[in-house]
Amino acid sequence: MNGQPELTVIMPVYNMEKYIAKALDQLAKQEDPNFKLLIVNDGSKDKTVEVAEQYRDKFRYFRILNKKNGGLSDARNVGMANVDTPYFTFHDGDDWVEPGYTAYFVRAFHDHPNVAMVSCGYFIDSPHRHNKVVGSPNDGVLSKLRTYGKMTNIFNSPVKGYTWNKGYKIAVVRKYHMTFVEGLAFMEDQIFNVHYIANTNGFYYNAVPLYHYWQREDSMVHHFNLKMVPDNVKANWYVWKTIFASLIEQKKEHKQDHTNQNLISEGNNNERKG
């Protein structure tokens, strides 16, 4: 595909020396290679950057941003601040994707120009389980209420609150000055997504799996620590507070629209009587 890239893939990395080669190998095999790859190195202490540099010639647009360690949310925020394409997505350094991954986001936004976010399906892979598809193979444009439901579903949702199976519009992020909350042990991605949906209208998803989520046994997410307890309470409070406020505001807007339509209708009737 020709022309300027429309999609940026943001890959925040920290000590991904053992995994990043597979991630980049698969990204280099995309059906649509016309995208920008932005690797944000969050102060890695291993050879992550050295491994990544070996792939520079395999991508049309390749950039590494080196920063001091500030955590995943900070790395994502730095990545978003450097996006100069209409659309972007996130890709974890220890995961990998199917060949149609980048093409999907651009095509989905083109096919559904009125939506603000698009989402694809995913696999869950682990040392003991491979290629488990999450959710049923369906798709559609959803209301805010149904979108929130699929984002917060802790069971078999093909959407959930992840960032790596979502496509975003950079114009939305800039308009609402959106950033990821820093200092949380987890759920910062769901908070961001709920905030994003609350400020926009239109969400499209297709559950066809294109992303492989690798559940590492040494991942911080799968090891309990005391910080997770208050962070879980804080994150869930923010998520549900945002959802309820959004739905209440939407109800008020619908009520006002209905009132305005009635006034217009009554005005037209009076004109006909006159």
Side-chain angles (χ1 to χ4, degrees):
M1 298 182 182
N2 299 320
Q4 288 297 311
E6 295 183 77
L7 178 74
T8 296
V9 177
I10 301 173
M11 183 182 289
V13 294
Y14 175 72
N15 291 349
M16 287 288 148
E17 175 186 355
K18 296 191 295 183
Y19 307 101
I20 194 171
K22 184 171 185 176
L24 296 178
D25 280 335
Q26 295 305 115
L27 268 176
K29 298 175 183 178
Q30 291 301 290
E31 296 167 359
D32 179 7
N34 195 31
F35 64 93
K36 294 189 176 185
L37 175 58
L38 177 58
I39 298 174
V40 182
N41 174 40
D42 190 36
S44 295
K45 299 176 182 178
D46 62 1
K47 296 182 179 180
T48 297
V49 174
E50 288 89 331
V51 174
E53 282 288 356
Q54 298 173 17
Y55 287 82
R56 184 175 290 275
D57 294 338
K58 294 188 178 183
F59 295 89
R60 293 184 183 181
Y61 302 88
F62 181 98
R63 184 183 179 190
I64 298 178
L65 283 175
N66 293 299
K67 58 179 289 295
K68 66 179 182 179
N69 181 254
L72 180 57
S73 288
D74 182 54
R76 285 171 173 162
N77 290 336
V78 169
M80 289 194 301
N82 283 272
V83 169
D84 59 3
T85 56
Y87 318 124
F88 68 95
T89 186
F90 294 96
H91 186 314
D92 286 356
D94 52 354
D95 298 332
W96 66 96
V97 296
E98 292 291 303
Y101 179 72
T102 58
Y104 167 78
F105 293 115
V106 175
R107 183 175 64 250
F109 276 123
H110 284 188
D111 291 345
H112 306 277
N114 294 324
V115 305
M117 180 190 289
V118 298
S119 178
C120 69
Y122 61 97
F123 301 93
I124 292 181
D125 296 79
S126 72
H128 311 293
R129 177 179 60 194
H130 297 282
N131 293 352
K132 177 189 175 184
V133 178
V134 178
S136 56
N138 49 17
D139 69 292
V141 176
L142 303 182
S143 66
K144 266 187 184 178
L145 180 60
R146 292 190 64 198
T147 301
Y148 289 142
K150 287 193 178 292
M151 278 189 177
T152 57
N153 185 342
I154 63 173
F155 298 106
N156 205 35
S157 170
V159 176
K160 290 195 177 180
Y162 304 122
T163 57
W164 34 251
N165 65 332
K166 309 287 191 305
Y168 307 87
K169 291 183 175 180
I170 193 61
V172 172
V173 171
R174 302 269 158 80
K175 179 178 180 180
Y176 296 103
H177 308 288
M178 295 187 62
T179 58
F180 285 84
V181 177
E182 299 183 25
L184 290 177
F186 62 118
M187 281 186 71
E188 71 289 336
D189 46 2
Q190 188 174 90
I191 291 173
F192 179 86
N193 285 326
V194 166
H195 186 200
Y196 187 102
I197 291 297
N199 283 314
T200 59
N201 289 302
F203 171 83
Y204 170 78
Y205 84 105
N206 190 314
V208 173
L210 295 172
Y211 191 94
H212 290 262
Y213 170 43
W214 179 244
Q215 287 190 328
R216 292 159 39 201
E217 293 181 338
D218 62 340
S219 173
M220 182 185 73
V221 175
H222 300 110
H223 289 273
F224 176 81
N225 64 71
L226 289 176
K227 189 177 185 302
M228 287 184 170
V229 177
D231 280 4
N232 183 51
V233 174
K234 185 188 301 183
N236 274 289
W237 176 83
Y238 188 93
V239 164
W240 289 105
K241 175 187 175 184
T242 303
I243 289 175
F244 287 136
S246 169
L247 294 177
I248 290 171
E249 183 62 29
Q250 186 180 48
K251 187 175 181 179
K252 289 180 180 178
E253 291 174 358
H254 286 169
K255 185 176 181 180
Q256 184 61 47
D257 289 342
H258 182 69
T259 300
N260 291 339
Q261 289 173 4
N262 286 339
L263 290 174
I264 292 172
S265 178
E266 290 174 4
N268 291 336
N269 288 335
N270 290 335
E271 287 179 6
R272 284 195 291 271
K273 290 177 183 178

